[in-house]
Amino acid sequence: MMNREGRPTTPAADAAAIGDQIETFTGNRGLEIEEPLLFEIGGREKSGVDIDLPEKPENRLGKMARGGEIGLAGLSEPEAMRHYVRLSRRNYAIDLGVYPLGSCTMKHNPRLNERMARLPGFADIHPLQPESTVQGALELIDTLAHWLKTLTGMPAVAMSPKAGAHGELCGMMAIRAALEARGDKRSIVLVPESAHGTNPATATYLGYTVQPIPARADGTVDPEEVKRHLTPEVAAIMLTNPNTCGLFERDVIAIADAVHAAGAFFYCDGANFNAIVGKARPGDLGVDAMHINLHKTFSTPHGGGGPGAGPVVLSEALAPFAPLPFIVHGKDGFRLVETEQDPDAGQAFGRMTAFHGQMGMYVRALSYMLSHGSDGLRQASEDAVLNANYVRAGLEDLMSLPFGKRPSMHEVLFDDSFLKGTGVTTLDFAKAMIDEGFHPMTVYFPLVVHGAMLIEPTESESRASLDQFVSALRNLVEAAKSGDKSRFTGAPYLTPVGRLDETRAARQPVLRWREPRLHRDAAE
């Protein structure tokens, strides 16, 4: 007989309240699986692969040879796969949601670029192959260099630096080489307070004394302040433009003219070049050297250990000092100038890397450029600026802007004034964003603003995703101002791991796993 009573299709009225109190048999919370360490799953007595036991090898290490079992867990392929997939679900990435990390753009990487970078002719290349077998790769590097020079209005580019800070080092070494070549030994580098933190570190590493330049009330650099610091000892200024406050340095040409008149050079930190591509050329602004984060401006998120690339464009005055290797085009095709003895080496200051740069990043960057075209690159910059200002406009009535309601470039900067009297700190606010499903913005940077919150949404975010982001932040601000302090001070509450003691985690990390049966404190 057919059952005509059916079954209930709606949950019990008190189901939601019960859910938070349930203790499960497995310890799992629904599809959020409790994940032990790799060494705590599987069995030591089994192996994930079938191999013959090797014959006892000759001991060539003497007393240094291992005396016991190595103690690795034996896992089948499904066990190993599930372990890493579960861990990956705890990671947050630009492919999951808004990643508003200011000054360190988490930029969407079109999958087309990945397909191009994985073509066997590029992915399988070896840096020691004969030049005759890598003409296509050399042509790609040369083509990318051409477009970098075109977009920046600069006559030369050094392609080999591996990342932004490495590019800074390259540019400043070229400046030092140019000064030494004219017998002009100088000792001071000017660095505005609104510059990236790596700038003073780079100058100091090269032996220069760093002279900070204070920001004026609107967050930019005053050319008159620069002039007051220019002496015959000043080798260069290192200025970030757009700066870390998300502002374009409107007096950049006056600053460049003053620096050049003093016989010094103008290094521009180009980490924020993604805001002005197709809109302004650094060469037209008087820049002598500038690194470009390919991994940021021309796709591929950075951070997390991924490979970077930081080519440095150089002015005519610095071009002869570009480091080795670089590419020249002769009658037999493309050729790498590898040594200072090469007739084409010029006054190269030396070599910074073993090989020629990051081939995978070169392919991604050129793929991004060619797929966008000149109008698409300009549109990407305009959209990045538009999105940052959309976020600013959506929050400026609740959150505080340190430099007033002036337009931002690709990122918008708030301070912690709006949290005054709530008992909620900038860090608390950022941690509460995690419970709402967002990676926090950059906090406490730049240092020129107290309790800084720097948001860079990037050009790839839709209006819908920005609306959700703005609405979530507005809700958090209203909660803080209404006295809901506990929502913040213990946040995040909904993550696999709660808030850590950041000082202890940084200074006393537990990085070595010890077997629990031998060390009861292994789970610490």
Side-chain angles (χ1 to χ4, degrees), residues 91-93 99 101 104-106 295 300-308 439:
N91 195 21
Y92 192 88
Y99 207 126
L101 205 61
C104 296
T105 316
M106 291 294 114
H295 50 280
T300 307
H302 70 308
H439 191 285

Side-chain angles (χ1 to χ4, degrees), residues 188-210:
I188 296 173
V189 170
L190 307 181
V191 181
E193 291 178 341
S194 56
H196 275 125
T198 48
N199 295 172
T202 296
T204 302
Y205 182 78
L206 289 175
Y208 289 109
T209 299
V210 173

